[in-house]
PDB file of all heavy atoms in Angstrom:
ATOM      1  N   LEU T  10     -53.071  26.121 112.846  1.00  0.00           N
ATOM      2  CA  LEU T  10     -52.128  26.289 113.943  1.00  0.00           C
ATOM      3  C   LEU T  10     -52.369  27.665 114.537  1.00  0.00           C
ATOM      4  O   LEU T  10     -52.206  28.687 113.867  1.00  0.00           O
ATOM      5  CB  LEU T  10     -50.697  26.185 113.402  1.00  0.00           C
ATOM      6  CG  LEU T  10     -49.578  25.970 114.409  1.00  0.00           C
ATOM      7  CD1 LEU T  10     -49.651  24.551 114.976  1.00  0.00           C
ATOM      8  CD2 LEU T  10     -48.228  26.200 113.737  1.00  0.00           C
ATOM      9  N   GLY T  11     -52.798  27.718 115.819  1.00  0.00           N
ATOM     10  CA  GLY T  11     -53.074  28.987 116.479  1.00  0.00           C
ATOM     11  C   GLY T  11     -51.901  29.428 117.332  1.00  0.00           C
ATOM     12  O   GLY T  11     -51.384  28.644 118.145  1.00  0.00           O
ATOM     13  N   THR T  12     -51.468  30.661 117.185  1.00  0.00           N
ATOM     14  CA  THR T  12     -50.239  31.134 117.817  1.00  0.00           C
ATOM     15  C   THR T  12     -50.417  32.520 118.441  1.00  0.00           C
ATOM     16  O   THR T  12     -51.449  33.167 118.283  1.00  0.00           O
ATOM     17  CB  THR T  12     -49.113  31.239 116.776  1.00  0.00           C
ATOM     18  OG1 THR T  12     -49.426  32.300 115.870  1.00  0.00           O
ATOM     19  CG2 THR T  12     -48.941  29.946 115.998  1.00  0.00           C
ATOM     20  N   GLU T  13     -49.362  32.951 119.115  1.00  0.00           N
ATOM     21  CA  GLU T  13     -49.238  34.377 119.410  1.00  0.00           C
ATOM     22  C   GLU T  13     -49.039  35.104 118.071  1.00  0.00           C
ATOM     23  O   GLU T  13     -48.765  34.485 117.051  1.00  0.00           O
ATOM     24  CB  GLU T  13     -48.034  34.633 120.320  1.00  0.00           C
ATOM     25  CG  GLU T  13     -48.169  34.065 121.719  1.00  0.00           C
ATOM     26  CD  GLU T  13     -49.122  34.870 122.598  1.00  0.00           C
ATOM     27  OE1 GLU T  13     -49.519  35.989 122.194  1.00  0.00           O
ATOM     28  OE2 GLU T  13     -49.477  34.374 123.676  1.00  0.00           O
ATOM     29  N   GLU T  14     -49.144  36.431 118.077  1.00  0.00           N
ATOM     30  CA  GLU T  14     -49.041  37.188 116.831  1.00  0.00           C
ATOM     31  C   GLU T  14     -47.749  36.866 116.082  1.00  0.00           C
ATOM     32  O   GLU T  14     -46.650  36.991 116.630  1.00  0.00           O
ATOM     33  CB  GLU T  14     -49.124  38.686 117.112  1.00  0.00           C
ATOM     34  CG  GLU T  14     -50.538  39.216 117.277  1.00  0.00           C
ATOM     35  CD  GLU T  14     -51.205  38.829 118.575  1.00  0.00           C
ATOM     36  OE1 GLU T  14     -50.528  38.230 119.442  1.00  0.00           O
ATOM     37  OE2 GLU T  14     -52.406  39.115 118.755  1.00  0.00           O
ATOM     38  N   LEU T  15     -47.898  36.467 114.823  1.00  0.00           N
ATOM     39  CA  LEU T  15     -46.771  36.073 113.993  1.00  0.00           C
ATOM     40  C   LEU T  15     -46.071  37.303 113.416  1.00  0.00           C
ATOM     41  O   LEU T  15     -46.684  38.368 113.290  1.00  0.00           O
ATOM     42  CB  LEU T  15     -47.260  35.171 112.854  1.00  0.00           C
ATOM     43  CG  LEU T  15     -47.778  33.802 113.305  1.00  0.00           C
ATOM     44  CD1 LEU T  15     -48.660  33.171 112.237  1.00  0.00           C
ATOM     45  CD2 LEU T  15     -46.607  32.879 113.643  1.00  0.00           C
ATOM     46  N   PRO T  16     -44.784  37.177 113.039  1.00  0.00           N
ATOM     47  CA  PRO T  16     -44.061  38.326 112.460  1.00  0.00           C
ATOM     48  C   PRO T  16     -44.766  38.839 111.212  1.00  0.00           C
ATOM     49  O   PRO T  16     -44.932  38.097 110.245  1.00  0.00           O
ATOM     50  CB  PRO T  16     -42.684  37.737 112.115  1.00  0.00           C
ATOM     51  CG  PRO T  16     -42.551  36.513 112.948  1.00  0.00           C
ATOM     52  CD  PRO T  16     -43.931  35.975 113.121  1.00  0.00           C
ATOM     53  N   PRO T  17     -45.213  40.082 111.201  1.00  0.00           N
ATOM     54  CA  PRO T  17     -46.048  40.549 110.085  1.00  0.00           C
ATOM     55  C   PRO T  17     -45.341  40.538 108.729  1.00  0.00           C
ATOM     56  O   PRO T  17     -45.964  40.214 107.719  1.00  0.00           O
ATOM     57  CB  PRO T  17     -46.441  41.976 110.504  1.00  0.00           C
ATOM     58  CG  PRO T  17     -45.470  42.371 111.556  1.00  0.00           C
ATOM     59  CD  PRO T  17     -45.069  41.112 112.249  1.00  0.00           C
ATOM     60  N   LYS T  18     -44.057  40.868 108.696  1.00  0.00           N
ATOM     61  CA  LYS T  18     -43.376  40.912 107.404  1.00  0.00           C
ATOM     62  C   LYS T  18     -43.106  39.525 106.835  1.00  0.00           C
ATOM     63  O   LYS T  18     -42.787  39.383 105.660  1.00  0.00           O
ATOM     64  CB  LYS T  18     -42.074  41.705 107.526  1.00  0.00           C
ATOM     65  CG  LYS T  18     -42.318  43.191 107.770  1.00  0.00           C
ATOM     66  CD  LYS T  18     -41.023  43.988 107.769  1.00  0.00           C
ATOM     67  CE  LYS T  18     -41.304  45.469 107.971  1.00  0.00           C
ATOM     68  NZ  LYS T  18     -40.069  46.285 107.986  1.00  0.00           N
ATOM     69  N   ALA T  19     -43.252  38.508 107.678  1.00  0.00           N
ATOM     70  CA  ALA T  19     -43.006  37.144 107.216  1.00  0.00           C
ATOM     71  C   ALA T  19     -44.292  36.348 106.999  1.00  0.00           C
ATOM     72  O   ALA T  19     -44.242  35.215 106.537  1.00  0.00           O
ATOM     73  CB  ALA T  19     -42.131  36.406 108.240  1.00  0.00           C
ATOM     74  N   LEU T  20     -45.458  36.934 107.322  1.00  0.00           N
ATOM     75  CA  LEU T  20     -46.687  36.142 107.363  1.00  0.00           C
ATOM     76  C   LEU T  20     -47.050  35.534 106.015  1.00  0.00           C
ATOM     77  O   LEU T  20     -47.387  34.346 105.932  1.00  0.00           O
ATOM     78  CB  LEU T  20     -47.845  36.998 107.884  1.00  0.00           C
ATOM     79  CG  LEU T  20     -49.153  36.226 108.104  1.00  0.00           C
ATOM     80  CD1 LEU T  20     -48.975  35.114 109.131  1.00  0.00           C
ATOM     81  CD2 LEU T  20     -50.274  37.167 108.539  1.00  0.00           C
ATOM     82  N   ARG T  21     -47.005  36.321 104.944  1.00  0.00           N
ATOM     83  CA  ARG T  21     -47.369  35.783 103.638  1.00  0.00           C
ATOM     84  C   ARG T  21     -46.431  34.629 103.263  1.00  0.00           C
ATOM     85  O   ARG T  21     -46.871  33.588 102.766  1.00  0.00           O
ATOM     86  CB  ARG T  21     -47.304  36.874 102.566  1.00  0.00           C
ATOM     87  CG  ARG T  21     -47.756  36.387 101.195  1.00  0.00           C
ATOM     88  CD  ARG T  21     -47.263  37.331 100.113  1.00  0.00           C
ATOM     89  NE  ARG T  21     -48.043  38.540 100.005  1.00  0.00           N
ATOM     90  CZ  ARG T  21     -49.087  38.682  99.184  1.00  0.00           C
ATOM     91  NH1 ARG T  21     -49.469  37.670  98.432  1.00  0.00           N
ATOM     92  NH2 ARG T  21     -49.729  39.818  99.123  1.00  0.00           N
ATOM     93  N   ALA T  22     -45.131  34.784 103.495  1.00  0.00           N
ATOM     94  CA  ALA T  22     -44.174  33.729 103.173  1.00  0.00           C
ATOM     95  C   ALA T  22     -44.422  32.482 104.013  1.00  0.00           C
ATOM     96  O   ALA T  22     -44.311  31.345 103.526  1.00  0.00           O
ATOM     97  CB  ALA T  22     -42.746  34.230 103.374  1.00  0.00           C
ATOM     98  N   LEU T  23     -44.772  32.673 105.296  1.00  0.00           N
ATOM     99  CA  LEU T  23     -45.069  31.519 106.154  1.00  0.00           C
ATOM    100  C   LEU T  23     -46.304  30.775 105.662  1.00  0.00           C
ATOM    101  O   LEU T  23     -46.342  29.540 105.661  1.00  0.00           O
ATOM    102  CB  LEU T  23     -45.275  31.990 107.591  1.00  0.00           C
ATOM    103  CG  LEU T  23     -44.035  32.515 108.326  1.00  0.00           C
ATOM    104  CD1 LEU T  23     -44.430  33.083 109.679  1.00  0.00           C
ATOM    105  CD2 LEU T  23     -42.998  31.417 108.477  1.00  0.00           C
ATOM    106  N   ARG T  24     -47.323  31.525 105.257  1.00  0.00           N
ATOM    107  CA  ARG T  24     -48.541  30.895 104.717  1.00  0.00           C
ATOM    108  C   ARG T  24     -48.211  30.015 103.515  1.00  0.00           C
ATOM    109  O   ARG T  24     -48.610  28.843 103.448  1.00  0.00           O
ATOM    110  CB  ARG T  24     -49.539  31.979 104.307  1.00  0.00           C
ATOM    111  CG  ARG T  24     -50.794  31.440 103.636  1.00  0.00           C
ATOM    112  CD  ARG T  24     -51.511  32.503 102.814  1.00  0.00           C
ATOM    113  NE  ARG T  24     -50.730  32.925 101.659  1.00  0.00           N
ATOM    114  CZ  ARG T  24     -51.175  33.775 100.734  1.00  0.00           C
ATOM    115  NH1 ARG T  24     -52.378  34.300 100.829  1.00  0.00           N
ATOM    116  NH2 ARG T  24     -50.402  34.102  99.714  1.00  0.00           N
ATOM    117  N   ASP T  25     -47.489  30.580 102.564  1.00  0.00           N
ATOM    118  CA  ASP T  25     -47.185  29.845 101.338  1.00  0.00           C
ATOM    119  C   ASP T  25     -46.286  28.651 101.614  1.00  0.00           C
ATOM    120  O   ASP T  25     -46.462  27.576 101.031  1.00  0.00           O
ATOM    121  CB  ASP T  25     -46.521  30.779 100.324  1.00  0.00           C
ATOM    122  CG  ASP T  25     -47.455  31.886  99.863  1.00  0.00           C
ATOM    123  OD1 ASP T  25     -48.679  31.752 100.051  1.00  0.00           O
ATOM    124  OD2 ASP T  25     -46.958  32.892  99.316  1.00  0.00           O
ATOM    125  N   ALA T  26     -45.308  28.846 102.503  1.00  0.00           N
ATOM    126  CA  ALA T  26     -44.382  27.757 102.803  1.00  0.00           C
ATOM    127  C   ALA T  26     -45.079  26.607 103.532  1.00  0.00           C
ATOM    128  O   ALA T  26     -44.760  25.432 103.306  1.00  0.00           O
ATOM    129  CB  ALA T  26     -43.214  28.277 103.636  1.00  0.00           C
ATOM    130  N   PHE T  27     -46.037  26.913 104.413  1.00  0.00           N
ATOM    131  CA  PHE T  27     -46.777  25.862 105.112  1.00  0.00           C
ATOM    132  C   PHE T  27     -47.594  25.037 104.114  1.00  0.00           C
ATOM    133  O   PHE T  27     -47.595  23.796 104.157  1.00  0.00           O
ATOM    134  CB  PHE T  27     -47.667  26.478 106.176  1.00  0.00           C
ATOM    135  CG  PHE T  27     -48.377  25.478 107.048  1.00  0.00           C
ATOM    136  CD1 PHE T  27     -47.791  24.265 107.378  1.00  0.00           C
ATOM    137  CD2 PHE T  27     -49.654  25.748 107.541  1.00  0.00           C
ATOM    138  CE1 PHE T  27     -48.452  23.342 108.188  1.00  0.00           C
ATOM    139  CE2 PHE T  27     -50.324  24.834 108.349  1.00  0.00           C
ATOM    140  CZ  PHE T  27     -49.719  23.624 108.668  1.00  0.00           C
ATOM    141  N   ALA T  28     -48.267  25.722 103.196  1.00  0.00           N
ATOM    142  CA  ALA T  28     -49.043  24.998 102.176  1.00  0.00           C
ATOM    143  C   ALA T  28     -48.134  24.155 101.303  1.00  0.00           C
ATOM    144  O   ALA T  28     -48.439  22.990 101.004  1.00  0.00           O
ATOM    145  CB  ALA T  28     -49.837  25.993 101.332  1.00  0.00           C
ATOM    146  N   ASP T  29     -47.004  24.726 100.896  1.00  0.00           N
ATOM    147  CA  ASP T  29     -46.065  23.962 100.064  1.00  0.00           C
ATOM    148  C   ASP T  29     -45.517  22.766 100.828  1.00  0.00           C
ATOM    149  O   ASP T  29     -45.343  21.678 100.264  1.00  0.00           O
ATOM    150  CB  ASP T  29     -44.910  24.857  99.610  1.00  0.00           C
ATOM    151  CG  ASP T  29     -45.332  25.898  98.583  1.00  0.00           C
ATOM    152  OD1 ASP T  29     -46.418  25.720  97.983  1.00  0.00           O
ATOM    153  OD2 ASP T  29     -44.590  26.875  98.387  1.00  0.00           O
ATOM    154  N   GLY T  30     -45.228  22.970 102.114  1.00  0.00           N
ATOM    155  CA  GLY T  30     -44.718  21.868 102.921  1.00  0.00           C
ATOM    156  C   GLY T  30     -45.724  20.741 103.053  1.00  0.00           C
ATOM    157  O   GLY T  30     -45.362  19.554 102.991  1.00  0.00           O
TER     158      GLY T  30
END
Side-chain angles (χ1 to χ4, degrees):
L10 196 71
T12 68
E13 293 285 349
E14 278 73 6
L15 292 161
K18 291 185 178 180
L20 186 61
R21 183 198 282 268
L23 291 174
R24 176 200 67 175
D25 295 342
F27 186 33
D29 289 343

